[in-house]
Amino acid sequence: MNVSEKDLRILVVAPTSRDSGITTELLNGAGIETATFTSIDALVGALNEGAAAVIVAEEHLAGAAKAPLAAWLTRQPPWSDLPVLILTRPGADSPESAEAWRTLGNVTLLERPTRVTTLLSAAQTAIRARSRQYQIRGHLSERLKNEQALRTADRRKDEFLATLGHELRNPLAPILNSLEIMKLSGAFKDAQTQQAGEVMERQIHHLNRLVDDLLEVSRITRGVIEVRKQPLELSAIVKAAIETSRPVLDNLRHELTVELDQQPMCVGGDPVRLTQVFANLLNNAAKYTNHGGHIWIATRRDEGDAVISVKDNGIGIAPNALSQVFDMFMQVDRSTRRSQGGLGIGLTLVRSLVSMHGGTVEARSDGPGLGSEFIVRLPLLVEKAAAAEPPRALKPLPARRILIVDDSRDGGESLAMLLRVLGAEVSLAHSGRHALECVDTFKPDVVLLDIGMPGMDGYEVARRIRGNPANRNISLIALTGWGQDEDRRRSVAAGFNHHLVKPADIEELRQLLTVA
Ligand code: ADP
């Protein structure tokens, strides 16, 4: 905050107008700006425009006269301690000056007749002290501005990540639904198409978890992501990660060398999260290596640990950046980031996930141009990996009239097809108004309602459905891309019975529809 001319002036209320004239002349002569007043009230009125100090004759402070000044002084901001110079009568201390000294804070008493040098030195000392206070005011206001800018940026970042996650999640629901339809209609009949179907399913689920991570980005730093641990055979995880990264590796024509330890190694972990760890490292190795490079992934045992190394002969990392690459949004070279389109959260996530599995990860590089190696250590489990879960088969639904409301045609229609295949009677509405008409004509048992729709949103539709007592037995299920606690609270308040996040787990949805 800048110091204005008014901030450096001294406000004067002398015993008489003649005294005021003399004092002002002396101060002006020494280069000090002044403003004179005939009463404390007038002086206090000017204080808010800025002042370095005040010079007041004690006569003006008698009794209640000093109250406005005392009140102004007590209201000062923390950086401010306005110097008050009181011109006292000659002789013994008067009760007014003694009282003023006690109550007005930063007070200097100057006995009249005051020597010129005494007055000037007191005025200059006051201005100096006040200038220090202005410096503190400047620092505080700068800090406040920075804090506000940081808070705004942080809020925008959170909003952006939530929107991004939401936008990415929306297309996943119709894809997943369509896949379920293809499975149920026997589209995957031979071994080859079945394998392709399984790959698609795995990858969509994986994508879905990645989108979740984006939404959980603030939780990542605090390490509060949930991991569902089970005994795992490490090579299966490494293979799944290679499969995930295969398109990126192939696209950039990298050669991949895989060297897996001969003996099976069992670790306790969440298969999706651990696959994500190695897929992230492989993707990075691919991204930060020039076309046609060489990437190695190897596993070995080291005492009680499984050690997994992901190495490349790519652009390498400068020594000073090695310790920072795991920090949130950290990217060593922004131009590389632009061409490769990363978010700078991959390694933050890797480190959090590995440490949640009781492991560690470190980055090594001999420097720019000399390739990089990421080494993950995970504690080994003694027991054998559990057998793979048998594939689930969906059970049919009991007879239900279900109204699906979704402004996305693909999302609504694919879900409608799936529920019809499962035996439900389904109707579709693509807007809030249309939904309300359908509720009256179709008389559904359950309404699956999207929240974010143009015009009338899902909350409003829910409130209107609940507003009609004839609809009290209808079960309302929110099916939305928004899954934060606040979104769930809002949907309960609007009258929903359940809140599912897209793409909903089909089995979870089937169970809800069965009991709804
Ligand atoms: P992103 O790849 O989205 O930028 P990451 O968190 O995965 O974010 O990586 C952070 C930074 O670490 C990258 O921007 C890059 O500068 C550096 N980095 C990661 N992996 C490698 C690698 N294999 N070789 C060189 N630099 C890497």
Side-chain angles (χ1 to χ4, degrees):
M1 202 170 177
N2 291 335
V3 178
S4 70
E5 264 179 32
K6 285 189 172 172
D7 280 339
L8 294 174
R9 66 193 177 152
I10 292 186
L11 310 188
V12 182
V13 188
T16 64
S17 57
R18 196 175 145 265
D19 290 331
S20 287
I22 298 169
T23 309
T24 307
E25 218 170 283
L26 280 173
L27 293 172
N28 292 163
I32 299 169
E33 286 292 318
T34 54
T36 52
F37 302 89
T38 51
S39 71
I40 289 287
D41 274 340
L43 175 138
V44 169
L47 270 176
N48 288 330
E49 292 168 30
V54 295
I55 296 180
V56 193
E58 73 174 319
E59 291 83 342
H60 290 281
L61 298 173
K66 66 173 175 303
L69 179 60
W72 190 94
L73 291 169
T74 51
R75 283 198 314 267
Q76 292 179 92
W79 59 266
S80 175
D81 191 15
L82 184 77
V84 179
L85 312 183
I86 299 176
L87 301 172
T88 64
R89 292 190 196 92
D93 288 345
S94 70
E96 286 87 9
S97 60
E99 161 84 359
W101 194 20
R102 270 194 310 109
T103 56
L104 296 185
N106 188 4
V107 170
T108 305
L109 300 178
L110 301 171
E111 191 179 331
R112 295 196 306 256
T114 315
R115 286 173 51 187
V116 174
T117 48
T118 307
L119 177 70
L120 290 182
S121 66
Q124 267 151 359
T125 306
I127 292 175
R128 219 179 128 94
R130 190 67 173 158
S131 299
R132 286 269 163 173
Q133 294 173 18
Y134 292 146
Q135 274 178 12
I136 296 171
R137 176 181 69 178
H139 290 316
L140 286 176
S141 106
E142 187 75 2
R143 208 173 81 179
L144 199 70
K145 239 173 36 204
N146 291 343
E147 276 171 11
Q148 275 163 354
L150 276 177
R151 261 198 293 276
T152 308
D154 201 43
R155 205 194 57 239
R156 291 217 180 109
K157 178 206 75 192
D158 285 346
E159 284 167 7
F160 166 74
L161 292 177
T163 311
L164 183 66
H166 182 238
E167 289 302 315
L168 291 176
R169 194 178 246 167
N170 263 343
L172 287 175
I175 297 175
L176 202 58
N177 292 339
S178 306
L179 190 64
E180 290 289 344
I181 292 164
M182 289 169 78
K183 267 171 38 188
L184 290 169
S185 62
F188 303 127
K189 38 189 173 305
D190 55 58
Q192 206 179 2
T193 51
Q194 196 176 349
Q195 196 189 357
E198 282 165 10
V199 171
M200 280 168 73
E201 190 170 16
R202 256 201 309 278
Q203 298 305 322
I204 294 168
H205 281 295
H206 194 85
L207 196 54
N208 194 34
R209 291 290 285 267
L210 290 177
V211 170
D212 281 347
D213 290 342
L214 203 52
L215 290 170
E216 287 173 354
V217 91
S218 70
R219 290 186 225 166
I220 294 169
T221 39
R222 291 179 286 133
V224 291
I225 309 172
E226 197 191 336
V227 294
R228 292 161 214 153
K229 282 195 201 165
Q230 62 189 74
L232 298 170
E233 214 286 293
L234 190 64
S235 63
I237 298 296
V238 170
K239 283 176 191 156
I242 294 172
E243 187 184 290
T244 306
S245 306
R246 181 60 75 187
V248 186
L249 294 166
D250 288 350
N251 237 346
L252 298 167
R253 298 193 307 280
H254 292 312
E255 184 186 336
L256 178 71
T257 302
V258 185
E259 288 163 0
L260 300 180
D261 197 281
Q262 298 289 311
Q263 296 292 316
M265 281 189 273
C266 190
V267 295
D270 180 323
V272 177
R273 297 303 198 178
L274 280 185
T275 306
Q276 196 178 347
V277 165
F278 301 118
N280 267 350
L281 294 177
L282 281 169
N283 281 352
N284 276 355
K287 273 179 2 182
Y288 301 107
T289 299
N290 293 332
H291 284 217
H294 199 155
I295 291 164
W296 295 261
I297 183 160
T299 63
R300 66 181 167 86
R301 272 165 202 276
D302 183 26
E303 302 190 342
D305 288 340
V307 180
I308 306 94
S309 145
V310 179
K311 202 166 92 174
D312 61 64
N313 65 347
I315 64 169
I317 302 169
N320 61 350
L322 269 180
S323 60
Q324 296 162 22
V325 289
F326 295 101
D327 294 346
M328 174 81 84
F329 303 130
M330 161 65 192
Q331 297 184 310
V332 178
D333 178 352
R334 309 253 139 203
S335 59
T336 317
R337 180 188 72 149
R338 269 195 294 280
S339 64
Q340 308 289 351
L343 292 171
I345 59 173
L347 287 181
T348 313
L349 183 57
V350 164
R351 188 177 52 185
S352 305
L353 291 176
V354 169
S355 86
M356 291 174 84
H357 284 83
T360 57
V361 55
E362 68 171 304
R364 290 186 188 168
S365 173
D366 288 332
L370 297 172
S372 311
E373 183 177 13
F374 286 81
I375 298 170
V376 176
R377 278 179 173 269
L378 293 170
L380 280 170
L381 276 189
V382 190
E383 61 261 53
K384 285 255 172 292
E389 253 183 62
R392 316 175 303 218
L394 282 182
K395 295 191 203 84
L397 278 172
R400 282 277 177 278
R401 296 170 71 79
I402 300 170
L403 173 64
I404 297 172
V405 188
D406 197 333
D407 64 315
S408 146
R409 289 199 177 257
D410 279 353
E413 275 159 17
S414 59
L415 184 60
M417 268 164 78
L418 177 59
L419 297 181
R420 281 186 191 122
V421 172
L422 292 175
E425 198 176 328
V426 184
S427 187
L428 250 178
H430 291 299
S431 72
R433 299 216 165 273
H434 187 197
L436 293 175
E437 286 164 24
C438 290
V439 167
D440 291 340
T441 53
F442 177 65
K443 305 216 175 303
D445 303 305
V446 182
V447 182
L448 280 172
L449 192 47
D450 187 22
I451 301 278
M453 293 185 291
M456 193 189 299
D457 68 9
Y459 296 126
E460 183 57 26
V461 177
R463 276 190 288 270
R464 293 203 189 187
I465 293 176
R466 287 286 178 244
N468 181 351
N471 296 333
R472 68 177 161 276
N473 291 328
I474 294 182
S475 183
L476 290 183
I477 302 179
L479 192 52
T480 158
W482 300 101
Q484 318 279 23
D485 290 348
E486 174 59 23
D487 305 316
R488 290 176 194 273
R489 268 195 296 277
R490 283 188 70 187
S491 70
V492 170
F496 281 99
N497 303 86
H498 305 282
H499 185 113
L500 292 181
V501 176
K502 283 182 191 171
D505 181 82
I506 301 301
E507 178 53 23
E508 191 184 351
L509 179 59
R510 195 195 61 76
Q511 282 179 15
L512 264 187
L513 291 173
T514 304
V515 295

